[in-house]
């Protein structure tokens, strides 16, 4: 786990990588995804499980950027986040929608944020993440299944 930044309201943005010892935070984000996607939006990508976690095979390889609120008061709560899948670790799920994927790509998936300011910060941190790691293409599947592709400027 690595702290990326903290905003003026005390919200902290963290990067969770699969090799970290942050399984409780990863599971908490998967629980938030379950509440958001399965309970609120009635989407079921996989069979329900007793743990009430929304996860799939990509979570083993994915990095997460999460927003934690209440850190200063000892009440950590994940309020937003997204999953980042790198093309070197797995075939990107978006390839099913758009076909051939460019090399050095990154896919944003399972983004959750009700606060527009937090969502903007997530996108800024995703861009910085991509630039720092040499990704040339960022893919995301937008609501209603419209494929969107952003190419970073060199």
């Amino acid at each position: 786990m690595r702290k990326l930044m903290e905003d003026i309201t005390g919200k902290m943005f963290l990067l969770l990588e699969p090799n970290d010892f942050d399984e409780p935070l990863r599971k908490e984000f998967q629980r938030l995804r379950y509440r958001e996607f399965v309970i609120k939006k009635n989407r079921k990508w996989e069979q329900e499980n007793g743990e009430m976690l929304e996860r799939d095979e990509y979570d083993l390889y994915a990095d997460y950027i999460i927003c934690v609120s209440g850190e200063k008061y000892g009440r950590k709560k994940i309020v937003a986040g997204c999953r980042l899948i790198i093309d070197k670790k797995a075939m990107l799920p978006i390839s099913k929608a758009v076909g051939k994927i460019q090399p050095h790509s990154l896919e944003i998936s399972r983004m959750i944020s009700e606060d527009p300011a937090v969502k903007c910060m997530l996108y800024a941190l995703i861009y910085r993440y991509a630039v720092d790691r040499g990704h040339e293409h960022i893919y995301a599947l937008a609501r209603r299944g419209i494929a969107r592709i952003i190419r970073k400027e060199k």
Side-chain angles (χ1 to χ4, degrees):
M1 171 175 39
R2 190 177 61 152
K3 181 178 174 181
L4 298 174
M5 67 150 306
E6 185 172 347
D7 73 5
I8 59 171
T9 66
K11 289 184 179 87
M12 215 177 315
F13 293 83
L14 305 171
L15 174 65
L16 308 179
E17 297 173 303
N19 57 357
D20 288 342
F21 299 101
D22 56 7
E23 191 61 25
L25 285 174
R26 292 175 76 83
K27 280 189 173 184
E28 187 179 338
F29 181 61
Q30 291 167 354
R31 211 168 276 113
L32 176 65
R33 285 169 29 190
Y34 185 89
R35 284 192 304 272
E36 183 69 25
F37 296 123
V38 177
I39 294 173
K40 283 185 183 177
K41 296 181 180 169
N42 200 26
R43 296 183 190 157
K44 293 184 171 96
W45 290 291
E46 63 176 45
Q47 289 188 332
E48 292 191 38
N49 56 58
E51 293 181 278
M52 297 181 77
L53 302 174
E54 194 282 317
R55 60 180 169 196
D56 58 26
E57 68 272 13
Y58 299 105
D59 286 305
L60 296 173
Y61 311 103
D63 292 342
Y64 297 158
I65 295 178
I66 60 169
C67 176
V68 178
S69 181
E71 176 74 18
K72 289 183 178 177
Y73 307 105
R75 297 184 318 256
K76 280 187 199 176
K77 180 182 177 191
I78 297 177
V79 295
C82 64
R83 177 174 75 174
L84 305 172
I85 305 169
I86 301 166
D87 65 345
K88 290 180 184 172
K89 295 183 180 179
M91 187 173 136
L92 299 180
I94 200 162
S95 64
K96 294 174 190 170
V98 298
K100 188 176 184 312
I101 299 294
Q102 298 296 320
H104 311 292
S105 295
L106 166 73
E107 179 177 335
I108 306 166
S109 70
R110 307 298 204 264
M111 181 175 276
I112 300 170
S113 176
E114 294 188 12
D115 182 345
V118 170
K119 190 175 276 189
C120 286
M121 186 54 65
L122 283 171
Y123 279 120
L125 292 170
I126 290 166
Y127 184 78
R128 189 169 83 193
Y129 173 96
V131 169
D132 289 350
R133 287 164 177 76
H135 298 292
E136 295 179 17
H137 301 273
I138 300 172
Y139 293 87
L141 202 58
R143 198 178 328 179
R144 292 179 181 60
I146 301 167
R148 307 244 173 138
I149 303 170
I150 303 169
R151 179 166 167 76
K152 87 174 171 104
E153 306 236 352
K154 290 188 176 188

